[in-house]
C-alpha cells in the first residue's frame, strides 16, 4: 500500500494526517511540539501515527511538511527584527517573494 503523510509543526502541538492513497482512508495524530528541536516532535508523531494506524513507516511514499511556527512568530511579534537589503536592479525581490510579479519577470 502507498500512504501520504502531512505534518504541521506548531508552537504547542505537531499534527499529522496519514492518507491511504488508494482507499482514501485517513488517520490523525497529535503530539507535543519540541521547540528545542522540531524534528523530535515530528519523529514522535510519525511513530505514534504508524503505531495507531498499523501502517509500516516504509509504506509512506510521500511526506509533506508545513509549519505555523513562523506565522505565529510574525502574528505575535515575537520574531527577530530583520531587514532586507538589495542592490540596484533587484526592485522586484519582494514581489517575487510574494508570488506577485507585475508585468512578468522582466529584467530591468
Amino acid at each position: 500500500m502507498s500512504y501520504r503523510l502531512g505534518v504541521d509543526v506548531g508552537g504547542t502541538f505537531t499534527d499529522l494526517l496519514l492518507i491511504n492513497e488508494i482507499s482514501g482512508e485517513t488517520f490523525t495524530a497529535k503530539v507535543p511540539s519540541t521547540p528545542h528541536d522540531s524534528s523530535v516532535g515530528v519523529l514522535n508523531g510519525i511513530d505514534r501515527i504508524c503505531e495507531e494506524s498499523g501502517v509500516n513507516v516504509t509504506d509512506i511514499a510521500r511526506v509533506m511538511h508545513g509549519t505555523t511556527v513562523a506565522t505565529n512568530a510574525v502574528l505575535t511579534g515575537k520574531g527577530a527584527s530583520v531587514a532586507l537589503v538589495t542592490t540596484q536592479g533587484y526592485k522586484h525581490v519582494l514581489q517575487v517573494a510574494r508570488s506577485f510579479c507585475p508585468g512578468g519577470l522582466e529584467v530591468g
Side-chain angles (χ1 to χ4, degrees):
M1 291 239 178
S2 180
Y3 291 85
R4 193 173 353 158
L5 177 66
V7 180
D8 174 52
V9 178
T12 305
F13 292 103
T14 296
D15 299 300
L16 298 96
L17 172 65
L18 184 65
I19 302 172
N20 181 316
E21 293 185 312
I22 297 168
S23 71
E25 183 179 18
T26 62
F27 305 92
T28 60
K30 180 183 286 273
V31 296
S33 291
T34 51
H36 68 282
D37 183 347
S38 61
S39 68
V40 173
V42 171
L43 293 173
N44 289 341
I46 292 171
D47 286 344
R48 176 166 299 168
I49 203 163
C50 286
E51 180 180 322
E52 291 178 358
S53 66
V55 171
N56 189 312
V57 71
T58 61
D59 291 332
I60 299 173
R62 273 179 235 164
V63 177
M64 293 157 289
H65 178 272
T67 180
T68 56
V69 172
T71 303
N72 292 342
V74 170
L75 293 175
T76 60
K78 293 182 180 176
S81 296
V82 297
L84 174 65
V85 179
T86 65
T87 57
Q88 187 174 359
Y90 289 89
K91 64 184 180 184
H92 297 299
V93 168
L94 288 178
Q95 283 100 358
V96 171
R98 293 182 179 132
S99 298
F100 175 72
C101 302
L105 294 173
E106 83 280 351
V107 177

